[in-house]
Amino acid sequence: MTQTDVPPATDDVPGQATDDGPTPATGPQPDPGTPVVEMRDISITFGAVAALSGVSLRLFPGEVHALMGENGAGKSTLIKALTGVYTIDSGTILVGGREQDFATPAAAQGAGISTVYQEVNLVPNLTVAENMMLGREPRRFGMIDHRAMNRQAAATLERLGLDVAPGSVLGDHPIAVQQLVAIARAVDVEARVLILDEPTSSLDSDEVAKLFEVMRRLREAGVAIVFVSHFLDQVYEISDRMTILRNGRLVEERMVAGTTQLELVQRMIGRDLEVLDQLDREPASAAPTRGTPLLTAVGLGRKGSLEATDLELYDGEVIGVAGLLGSGRTELARLLFGADSADTGSVEVRASRRRLRSPRHAIDRKIAFSSEDRKGEGVIADLTVADNMLLALQASRGWLRPIPQATRTRLVADYIEALDIRPADPNALMRHLSGGNQQKVLLARWLVTEPDLLILDEPTRGIDIGAKTQIQALVADLAAKGMSVVFISAELEEVLRLSDRLVVMRDRRKIAERPNDGVSVSDVLEIIAGEARSEEETAHV
Ligand SMILES: Nc1ncnc2c1ncn2[C@@H]1O[C@H](COP(=O)(O)OP(=O)(O)OP(=O)(O)O)[C@@H](O)[C@H]1O
Ligand SMILES: [Mg+2]
């Protein structure tokens, strides 16, 4: 990787991180200049929870700085402390060498600190351009100048290589595109510091490459970029320096070059990782029993979202759905579940002649769907972890038959443990959980219903490497016990690790289906690219 403006790489900051205390951030490395942001000894508590204890962070102009740590380590909280969302209990924040304590995110933005939060925070029923220019709309004679707004937004989108119509309604786009729009909005302002909290979790490799290009350009222009991601490969590709947090404490700051992934993971979790071995584990391929299919889709389709698709699914089988962003993965899931209604074809369960027409039907037939849109369809922020977790089970029993208290307690405790949900407190409010931990609760919500078929759309998005492995193992285990799974993920490695059979999507249709007998990531990419090529060829005849 070549870069010009970043501080020179040094050897590791010496010193071993132990649980006894953090390594001081200031090791004897050459002075990389004056930080544009310096946070010193920041502490924040929420009630009894110490979310941050004495954490420090330095950001230098022209660097990409990865903020690393497990789910709940304090990454988002540290960012919100900097941007005035949270008030700090103690510590000092220096911006451009001057002490600052932003009262509001707008104040931070005014000082050149621009943030894209973990959850898309835009307004779905406004247009793309309106979202991008929100709060700083160009005006003419006191009125919002829509034409200028669209023009300006279009220019930014084009600069970022994003093919999105400025006048289209934001909510009509998939989450990944909405995420890119949020990033476009953030980079459009004059920023000295750009904070990206898990910007890539819903993006495919093409979009990630696009984003990285933008980040490199901004870095060259001297912007300090904070990057949060649970994808270690991405962190290594783009970052220069990193700060590692664990349980709300600083472990250390160090250069990315010279740190192995294994070292990084050890420092993040504070112990050796048995799960890293599991990562190389063969998929649990208990050959699914054939017989009557659990589910049969015939000619299932919907105008504009999926061309007529056939699919059969057997008990205990994991079908992995691969395909790029916009290929129709989510659309297939929604049609299978009845969340969207089909224009053509039908879905039958256990060869029953009654067709699935709505989520209600699907749930009655023990089909569950964990949607990719956790903010829109999932998290109920003001309820507890236990209530969120039991919601689907309660709904399927009917609201007049409450789940017995002892069963509630046992189920919730079991899944808090199985998924390592933190805090391990059934009564914690959902809004107080970190992003990754909320995601685990949503997954548990469907697991507790013990479905025959579980449709998982991006279940491990935003989940740290340790917990991700746990979830994969859990899914494999349930499948071995007879549950069928449709597993959708932008991460091809994960799809390949888990599935018995592979469905590859492109341009809103199924282009291939095959047993997963040693299929590699590049095989899948070739299938997708091959299809693209053959389309070009046909286009030329
Ligand atoms: N408003 C709040 N009230 C109570 N606790 C909170 C609040 N916000 C965060 N916490 C707690 O602070 C800790 C740090 O959470 P934070 O969201 O910063 O984690 P994170 O590192 O961003 O994790 P993830 O990778 O899952 O996004 C967690 O234990 C979380 O439950
Ligand atoms: Mg977070």
Side-chain angles (χ1 to χ4, degrees):
M1 192 165 42
T2 52
Q3 54 215 18
T4 43
D5 283 329
V6 286
T10 64
D11 288 329
D12 291 356
V13 179
Q16 287 295 315
T18 65
D19 283 330
D20 301 328
T23 308
T26 44
Q29 49 180 310
D31 184 5
T34 315
V36 54
V37 166
E38 190 167 3
M39 302 177 81
R40 291 188 194 142
D41 262 333
I42 305 293
S43 296
I44 292 188
T45 51
F46 298 107
V49 181
L52 294 175
S53 324
V55 173
S56 300
L57 175 72
R58 309 184 298 164
L59 303 177
F60 295 94
E63 74 169 353
V64 175
H65 193 118
L67 192 52
M68 302 301 297
E70 290 182 279
N71 294 135
K75 304 178 296 292
S76 296
T77 306
L78 188 63
I79 288 167
K80 288 174 180 166
L82 172 60
T83 56
V85 178
Y86 291 149
T87 316
I88 55 177
D89 295 339
S90 60
T92 316
I93 301 174
L94 302 170
V95 178
R98 289 189 25 217
E99 199 165 321
Q100 287 280 10
D101 190 359
F102 301 117
T104 61
Q109 172 113 43
I113 301 179
S114 198
T115 313
V116 179
Y117 293 101
Q118 196 165 1
E119 302 295 339
V120 178
N121 250 328
L122 302 179
V123 189
N125 49 5
L126 294 184
T127 67
V128 166
E130 283 165 343
N131 270 290
M132 287 176 61
M133 310 298 294
L134 208 62
R136 50 196 173 88
E137 295 89 350
R139 286 178 187 272
R140 239 181 129 212
F141 312 121
M143 312 268 281
I144 292 181
D145 182 350
H146 284 276
R147 197 160 334 144
M149 186 162 73
N150 281 339
R151 205 179 327 112
Q152 221 167 306
T156 305
L157 291 167
E158 196 188 317
R159 189 159 56 88
L160 303 189
L162 300 180
D163 184 17
V164 185
S168 58
V169 174
L170 184 78
D172 290 345
H173 294 288
I175 302 286
V177 173
Q178 298 186 28
Q179 183 77 324
L180 287 167
V181 171
I183 292 164
R185 173 182 162 81
V187 300
D188 200 25
V189 298
E190 285 287 307
R192 284 193 288 171
V193 177
L194 173 65
I195 302 173
L196 301 169
D197 193 352
E198 296 193 36
T200 59
S201 51
S202 49
L203 305 185
D204 285 310
S205 44
D206 280 2
E207 277 77 20
V208 171
K210 232 175 253 171
L211 172 64
F212 282 6
E213 226 178 275
V214 174
M215 286 168 69
R216 291 198 179 98
R217 226 175 293 159
L218 292 168
R219 169 168 68 190
E220 253 157 53
V223 177
I225 302 172
V226 178
F227 181 57
V228 180
S229 170
H230 291 293
F231 298 113
L232 300 189
D233 290 345
Q234 293 180 0
V235 168
Y236 274 77
E237 184 182 338
I238 192 77
S239 315
D240 306 299
R241 184 187 299 268
M242 59 188 163
T243 292
I244 306 171
L245 303 182
R246 179 165 78 233
N247 288 331
R249 292 171 186 279
L250 174 67
V251 177
E252 64 181 326
E253 176 201 277
R254 58 190 297 164
M255 299 306 292
V256 174
T259 307
T260 66
Q261 293 204 8
L262 190 64
E263 281 173 290
L264 167 60
V265 173
Q266 280 168 342
R267 280 174 169 69
M268 275 165 52
I269 68 174
R271 62 190 141 83
D272 286 338
L273 230 202
E274 323 83 67
V275 290
L276 275 188
D277 303 335
Q278 290 177 31
L279 283 179
D280 294 326
R281 218 179 41 143
E282 288 297 301
S285 63
T289 46
R290 292 279 159 157
T292 318
L294 165 63
L295 179 140
T296 314
V298 181
L300 187 68
R302 181 181 158 92
K303 201 157 185 269
S305 54
L306 187 74
E307 280 181 33
T309 301
D310 295 339
L311 195 68
E312 274 187 354
L313 183 63
Y314 294 86
D315 285 313
E317 187 178 37
V318 181
I319 289 198
V321 182
L324 302 181
L325 177 65
S327 60
R329 299 177 310 209
T330 294
E331 289 77 3
L332 174 63
R334 294 181 59 84
L335 285 167
L336 284 176
F337 186 65
D340 290 333
S341 56
D343 298 336
T344 63
S346 64
V347 180
E348 288 176 1
V349 179
R350 299 218 185 277
S352 137
R353 303 222 341 257
R354 288 192 51 197
R355 292 171 174 181
L356 275 192
R357 286 224 189 73
S358 69
R360 184 73 260 166
H361 279 156
I363 291 168
D364 286 347
R365 286 168 184 67
K366 300 199 76 75
I367 299 177
F369 173 42
S370 169
S371 146
E372 65 163 349
D373 180 7
R374 68 170 173 244
K375 199 174 184 203
E377 298 183 26
V379 172
I380 304 194
D382 290 320
L383 291 184
T384 63
V385 166
D387 287 338
N388 268 281
M389 206 184 275
L390 294 172
L391 201 68
L393 180 62
Q394 184 62 70
S396 71
R397 288 168 59 98
W399 295 98
L400 297 177
R401 281 177 58 220
I403 304 164
Q405 188 56 47
T407 312
R408 284 178 63 98
T409 310
R410 180 179 53 77
L411 280 175
V412 173
D414 282 356
Y415 279 98
I416 285 180
E417 198 198 326
L419 297 174
D420 193 15
I421 292 168
R422 301 182 207 176
D425 174 7
N427 298 317
L429 284 185
M430 196 71 161
R431 71 160 69 257
H432 295 163
L433 263 59
S434 76
N437 281 293
Q438 291 184 357
Q439 179 73 358
K440 294 187 214 171
V441 174
L442 289 190
L443 181 61
R445 173 187 292 173
W446 295 107
L447 292 173
V448 296
T449 64
E450 300 188 336
D452 291 346
L453 166 59
L454 180 57
I455 303 170
L456 294 172
D457 195 0
E458 300 285 357
T460 63
R461 174 187 297 167
I463 285 188
D464 70 50
I465 179 164
K468 198 177 257 185
T469 326
Q470 274 169 302
I471 287 175
Q472 291 166 1
L474 188 67
V475 169
D477 191 42
L478 290 166
K481 289 182 182 141
M483 183 175 82
S484 307
V485 180
V486 173
F487 191 91
I488 302 172
S489 169
E491 232 186 310
L492 279 178
E493 290 84 356
E494 179 179 53
V495 173
L496 290 173
R497 202 173 301 130
L498 271 174
S499 50
D500 302 305
R501 200 143 49 97
L502 210 60
V503 166
V504 184
M505 313 276 303
R506 190 193 149 87
D507 296 332
R508 305 187 179 275
R509 62 195 175 85
K510 178 171 93 174
I511 58 165
E513 181 178 335
R514 52 179 292 183
N516 181 14
D517 45 7
V519 179
S520 69
V521 168
S522 51
D523 292 340
V524 177
L525 291 176
E526 241 165 63
I527 295 175
I528 294 170
E531 174 76 7
R533 259 200 309 278
S534 65
E535 265 169 25
E536 273 164 32
E537 280 156 17
T538 36
H540 287 302
V541 285

